[in-house]
Amino acid sequence: MRFVRAVLSAVVATLPVLVILLIPALVRGDVPGDSLAGIGGTLLNGAFIAAVILIPTVNGWLDPEVPDWTSATAMAATGRVWRHRIWLALLAVLALLAIFAAGQTAAYLLGQNSPAVVDGELDYSRFLAQELVVYLFGYVLSLTTYVLIIRVLARRT
């Protein structure tokens, strides 16, 4: 049950990322018409960094463990982990990055086998499939792993 709540926390924390991912002009530079991929990339990175920072609070709200892990105390517990167990916290970030890279790779391979832009026209269903793979396997699963590891480390400080 804790895993399901962590997944829900990651989904809630990354909703702005999903909104950005669903707009082709913000994500792809090769779509017909005006492309805002530079702005979209910056927004996407900022939204993901904000999600990484806020995921403990969201998880504390959706899956509280009184008194150590609530929406009010989760950020402080995460800070203690980063101060006292820096190497393990860095390993949690490394796990986040590895899963994120795997999700990006899966979406890239899907895009190679089923390109979203065919003959100069965007096929939104193919685009949507690629972006949902990136979102679910890259963003949601990586943040789920991160928050579960940080939560376990916070319990031991």
Side-chain angles (χ1 to χ4, degrees):
M1 208 55 189
R2 177 139 297 150
F3 177 77
V4 173
R5 290 187 197 126
V7 169
L8 290 175
S9 301
V11 168
V12 169
T14 58
L15 281 177
V17 170
L18 180 62
V19 170
I20 295 167
L21 285 175
L22 295 179
I23 303 171
L26 291 176
V27 182
R28 300 185 60 95
D30 60 350
V31 294
D34 292 338
S35 177
L36 304 171
I39 295 170
T42 303
L43 289 173
L44 195 60
N45 290 335
F48 185 56
I49 290 170
V52 170
I53 293 168
L54 294 176
I55 188 76
T57 303
V58 174
N59 185 255
W61 175 60
L62 290 174
D63 188 16
E65 188 175 317
V66 179
D68 297 330
W69 193 267
T70 64
S71 62
T73 61
M75 195 64 77
T78 303
R80 280 193 306 275
V81 168
W82 276 97
R83 281 190 305 275
H84 299 290
R85 306 182 89 186
I86 184 76
W87 293 109
L88 294 175
L90 287 173
L91 286 176
V93 170
L94 188 61
L96 176 140
L97 291 175
I99 295 170
F100 180 76
Q104 293 283 339
T105 302
Y108 170 77
L109 293 174
L110 180 63
Q112 290 298 310
N113 291 329
S114 176
V117 178
V118 179
D119 297 328
E121 292 295 319
L122 177 72
D123 183 356
Y124 194 77
S125 63
R126 291 180 178 184
F127 170 78
L128 183 63
Q130 291 171 14
E131 297 308 315
L132 287 179
V133 166
V134 166
Y135 179 70
L136 292 175
F137 292 114
Y139 292 99
V140 172
L141 190 58
S142 67
L143 274 178
T144 300
T145 303
Y146 172 76
V147 77
L148 288 174
I149 292 172
I150 291 294
R151 190 170 178 149
V152 167
L153 292 174
R155 201 175 315 145
R156 296 184 182 169
T157 56

PDB file of all heavy atoms in Angstrom, residues 76-89 157:
ATOM      1  N   ALA A  76      11.421  18.532   6.904  1.00  0.00           N
ATOM      2  CA  ALA A  76      12.460  18.576   7.932  1.00  0.00           C
ATOM      3  C   ALA A  76      13.165  17.232   8.042  1.00  0.00           C
ATOM      4  O   ALA A  76      14.386  17.173   8.205  1.00  0.00           O
ATOM      5  CB  ALA A  76      11.851  18.965   9.277  1.00  0.00           C
ATOM      6  N   ALA A  77      12.410  16.136   7.929  1.00  0.00           N
ATOM      7  CA  ALA A  77      13.013  14.802   7.976  1.00  0.00           C
ATOM      8  C   ALA A  77      13.931  14.581   6.781  1.00  0.00           C
ATOM      9  O   ALA A  77      15.020  14.010   6.912  1.00  0.00           O
ATOM     10  CB  ALA A  77      11.918  13.735   8.018  1.00  0.00           C
ATOM     11  N   THR A  78      13.519  15.077   5.628  1.00  0.00           N
ATOM     12  CA  THR A  78      14.366  14.973   4.435  1.00  0.00           C
ATOM     13  C   THR A  78      15.634  15.798   4.611  1.00  0.00           C
ATOM     14  O   THR A  78      16.722  15.360   4.232  1.00  0.00           O
ATOM     15  CB  THR A  78      13.590  15.439   3.188  1.00  0.00           C
ATOM     16  OG1 THR A  78      12.408  14.647   3.065  1.00  0.00           O
ATOM     17  CG2 THR A  78      14.423  15.304   1.934  1.00  0.00           C
ATOM     18  N   GLY A  79      15.511  16.967   5.189  1.00  0.00           N
ATOM     19  CA  GLY A  79      16.684  17.798   5.468  1.00  0.00           C
ATOM     20  C   GLY A  79      17.660  17.117   6.404  1.00  0.00           C
ATOM     21  O   GLY A  79      18.879  17.200   6.226  1.00  0.00           O
ATOM     22  N   ARG A  80      17.128  16.431   7.423  1.00  0.00           N
ATOM     23  CA  ARG A  80      18.008  15.681   8.329  1.00  0.00           C
ATOM     24  C   ARG A  80      18.742  14.576   7.599  1.00  0.00           C
ATOM     25  O   ARG A  80      19.921  14.329   7.851  1.00  0.00           O
ATOM     26  CB  ARG A  80      17.201  15.102   9.494  1.00  0.00           C
ATOM     27  CG  ARG A  80      16.908  16.090  10.582  1.00  0.00           C
ATOM     28  CD  ARG A  80      16.398  15.419  11.843  1.00  0.00           C
ATOM     29  NE  ARG A  80      15.248  14.549  11.617  1.00  0.00           N
ATOM     30  CZ  ARG A  80      13.971  14.958  11.578  1.00  0.00           C
ATOM     31  NH1 ARG A  80      13.705  16.243  11.743  1.00  0.00           N
ATOM     32  NH2 ARG A  80      13.003  14.098  11.389  1.00  0.00           N
ATOM     33  N   VAL A  81      18.063  13.905   6.684  1.00  0.00           N
ATOM     34  CA  VAL A  81      18.725  12.859   5.897  1.00  0.00           C
ATOM     35  C   VAL A  81      19.853  13.467   5.084  1.00  0.00           C
ATOM     36  O   VAL A  81      20.968  12.929   5.041  1.00  0.00           O
ATOM     37  CB  VAL A  81      17.721  12.133   4.968  1.00  0.00           C
ATOM     38  CG1 VAL A  81      18.440  11.263   3.961  1.00  0.00           C
ATOM     39  CG2 VAL A  81      16.747  11.308   5.788  1.00  0.00           C
ATOM     40  N   TRP A  82      19.602  14.603   4.451  1.00  0.00           N
ATOM     41  CA  TRP A  82      20.624  15.238   3.621  1.00  0.00           C
ATOM     42  C   TRP A  82      21.793  15.766   4.463  1.00  0.00           C
ATOM     43  O   TRP A  82      22.908  15.846   3.978  1.00  0.00           O
ATOM     44  CB  TRP A  82      20.015  16.356   2.780  1.00  0.00           C
ATOM     45  CG  TRP A  82      19.408  15.803   1.525  1.00  0.00           C
ATOM     46  CD1 TRP A  82      18.107  15.498   1.318  1.00  0.00           C
ATOM     47  CD2 TRP A  82      20.102  15.455   0.337  1.00  0.00           C
ATOM     48  NE1 TRP A  82      17.936  14.980   0.061  1.00  0.00           N
ATOM     49  CE2 TRP A  82      19.152  14.956  -0.566  1.00  0.00           C
ATOM     50  CE3 TRP A  82      21.422  15.525  -0.068  1.00  0.00           C
ATOM     51  CZ2 TRP A  82      19.481  14.518  -1.842  1.00  0.00           C
ATOM     52  CZ3 TRP A  82      21.753  15.099  -1.333  1.00  0.00           C
ATOM     53  CH2 TRP A  82      20.792  14.594  -2.207  1.00  0.00           C
ATOM     54  N   ARG A  83      21.545  16.138   5.700  1.00  0.00           N
ATOM     55  CA  ARG A  83      22.633  16.616   6.558  1.00  0.00           C
ATOM     56  C   ARG A  83      23.432  15.489   7.185  1.00  0.00           C
ATOM     57  O   ARG A  83      24.651  15.568   7.272  1.00  0.00           O
ATOM     58  CB  ARG A  83      22.073  17.516   7.663  1.00  0.00           C
ATOM     59  CG  ARG A  83      21.762  18.917   7.204  1.00  0.00           C
ATOM     60  CD  ARG A  83      21.448  19.832   8.378  1.00  0.00           C
ATOM     61  NE  ARG A  83      20.374  19.339   9.222  1.00  0.00           N
ATOM     62  CZ  ARG A  83      19.070  19.533   8.999  1.00  0.00           C
ATOM     63  NH1 ARG A  83      18.694  20.209   7.939  1.00  0.00           N
ATOM     64  NH2 ARG A  83      18.174  19.084   9.835  1.00  0.00           N
ATOM     65  N   HIS A  84      22.752  14.449   7.632  1.00  0.00           N
ATOM     66  CA  HIS A  84      23.428  13.421   8.418  1.00  0.00           C
ATOM     67  C   HIS A  84      23.805  12.169   7.623  1.00  0.00           C
ATOM     68  O   HIS A  84      24.685  11.430   8.052  1.00  0.00           O
ATOM     69  CB  HIS A  84      22.556  13.006   9.610  1.00  0.00           C
ATOM     70  CG  HIS A  84      22.274  14.140  10.537  1.00  0.00           C
ATOM     71  ND1 HIS A  84      23.248  14.697  11.336  1.00  0.00           N
ATOM     72  CD2 HIS A  84      21.141  14.837  10.772  1.00  0.00           C
ATOM     73  CE1 HIS A  84      22.714  15.690  12.030  1.00  0.00           C
ATOM     74  NE2 HIS A  84      21.445  15.797  11.695  1.00  0.00           N
ATOM     75  N   ARG A  85      23.151  11.932   6.522  1.00  0.00           N
ATOM     76  CA  ARG A  85      23.410  10.727   5.737  1.00  0.00           C
ATOM     77  C   ARG A  85      23.552  11.098   4.260  1.00  0.00           C
ATOM     78  O   ARG A  85      22.889  10.543   3.403  1.00  0.00           O
ATOM     79  CB  ARG A  85      22.279   9.739   5.936  1.00  0.00           C
ATOM     80  CG  ARG A  85      22.044   9.464   7.423  1.00  0.00           C
ATOM     81  CD  ARG A  85      20.987   8.494   7.635  1.00  0.00           C
ATOM     82  NE  ARG A  85      21.634   7.189   7.635  1.00  0.00           N
ATOM     83  CZ  ARG A  85      20.985   6.055   7.680  1.00  0.00           C
ATOM     84  NH1 ARG A  85      19.690   6.056   7.706  1.00  0.00           N
ATOM     85  NH2 ARG A  85      21.633   4.907   7.688  1.00  0.00           N
ATOM     86  N   ILE A  86      24.447  12.021   3.994  1.00  0.00           N
ATOM     87  CA  ILE A  86      24.584  12.605   2.661  1.00  0.00           C
ATOM     88  C   ILE A  86      24.878  11.556   1.595  1.00  0.00           C
ATOM     89  O   ILE A  86      24.343  11.613   0.500  1.00  0.00           O
ATOM     90  CB  ILE A  86      25.637  13.745   2.641  1.00  0.00           C
ATOM     91  CG1 ILE A  86      25.709  14.413   1.269  1.00  0.00           C
ATOM     92  CG2 ILE A  86      27.004  13.230   3.030  1.00  0.00           C
ATOM     93  CD1 ILE A  86      24.598  15.320   0.982  1.00  0.00           C
ATOM     94  N   TRP A  87      25.728  10.587   1.912  1.00  0.00           N
ATOM     95  CA  TRP A  87      26.099   9.593   0.902  1.00  0.00           C
ATOM     96  C   TRP A  87      24.919   8.708   0.526  1.00  0.00           C
ATOM     97  O   TRP A  87      24.736   8.378  -0.645  1.00  0.00           O
ATOM     98  CB  TRP A  87      27.294   8.764   1.364  1.00  0.00           C
ATOM     99  CG  TRP A  87      28.515   9.608   1.458  1.00  0.00           C
ATOM    100  CD1 TRP A  87      29.149  10.013   2.594  1.00  0.00           C
ATOM    101  CD2 TRP A  87      29.222  10.223   0.373  1.00  0.00           C
ATOM    102  NE1 TRP A  87      30.207  10.832   2.284  1.00  0.00           N
ATOM    103  CE2 TRP A  87      30.273  10.972   0.922  1.00  0.00           C
ATOM    104  CE3 TRP A  87      29.061  10.216  -1.005  1.00  0.00           C
ATOM    105  CZ2 TRP A  87      31.157  11.700   0.140  1.00  0.00           C
ATOM    106  CZ3 TRP A  87      29.948  10.944  -1.777  1.00  0.00           C
ATOM    107  CH2 TRP A  87      30.971  11.674  -1.211  1.00  0.00           C
ATOM    108  N   LEU A  88      24.109   8.355   1.477  1.00  0.00           N
ATOM    109  CA  LEU A  88      22.922   7.558   1.173  1.00  0.00           C
ATOM    110  C   LEU A  88      21.874   8.396   0.431  1.00  0.00           C
ATOM    111  O   LEU A  88      21.180   7.890  -0.446  1.00  0.00           O
ATOM    112  CB  LEU A  88      22.349   6.963   2.457  1.00  0.00           C
ATOM    113  CG  LEU A  88      23.255   5.931   3.133  1.00  0.00           C
ATOM    114  CD1 LEU A  88      22.663   5.489   4.454  1.00  0.00           C
ATOM    115  CD2 LEU A  88      23.518   4.747   2.227  1.00  0.00           C
ATOM    116  N   ALA A  89      21.775   9.670   0.778  1.00  0.00           N
ATOM    117  CA  ALA A  89      20.860  10.556   0.050  1.00  0.00           C
ATOM    118  C   ALA A  89      21.321  10.721  -1.402  1.00  0.00           C
ATOM    119  O   ALA A  89      20.495  10.751  -2.318  1.00  0.00           O
ATOM    120  CB  ALA A  89      20.771  11.907   0.743  1.00  0.00           C
ATOM    121  N   THR A 157      17.168   8.036  11.009  1.00  0.00           N
ATOM    122  CA  THR A 157      18.013   9.117  11.530  1.00  0.00           C
ATOM    123  C   THR A 157      17.634   9.470  12.944  1.00  0.00           C
ATOM    124  O   THR A 157      16.545   9.290  13.391  1.00  0.00           O
ATOM    125  CB  THR A 157      17.908  10.387  10.654  1.00  0.00           C
ATOM    126  OG1 THR A 157      16.541  10.779  10.557  1.00  0.00           O
ATOM    127  CG2 THR A 157      18.516  10.172   9.323  1.00  0.00           C
TER     128      THR A 157
END
